[in-house]
Amino acid sequence: QVQLVESGGGLMQAGGSLRLSCAVSGLTFSDYTMAWFRQVPGKERIFVARITRSSNSAYYADSVKGRFTISRDIAKNTVYLQMDSLTPEDTAVYYCAAGGASSLTYYLTYPYWGQGTQVTVSS
């Protein structure tokens, strides 16, 4: 079955960096758009970044542009999110997701999800 397993979350001070990883199995990784979303309690899951199947293009939410970088390693079936210059506002559970070419920024367009990893940024 399809599995997406995130890792790399944790506690970090403001200004620091973290790298999240998402290992994917059970689907042809290169056929899927990969994305990261984040969610805080009581709020909707929101788009952070996505990368196209061929890795030719990456897109970011305005709130993370210039600070976060999404990438994928086809050989390792893994997608990454490098998070730099973290702020307390980045505190959330981060989820990776796999979707089709039409999966853009709305979470309901992604059929496959990981279990999430907590990122906490202290001031």
Side-chain angles (χ1 to χ4, degrees), residues 86-103:
L86 286 162
T87 73
E89 289 69 38
D90 295 318
T91 295
V93 177
Y94 283 72
Y95 297 89
C96 74
S102 60
S103 298

Side-chain angles (χ1 to χ4, degrees), residues 34-38 45-51 59-64 104-107 110:
M34 297 300 301
W36 289 93
F37 287 74
R38 64 188 183 188
R45 196 166 294 188
I46 61 171
F47 170 77
V48 174
R50 69 180 177 94
I51 187 165
Y59 303 88
Y60 299 92
D62 288 343
S63 59
V64 306
L104 301 177
T105 62
Y106 187 42
Y107 69 95
Y110 289 82

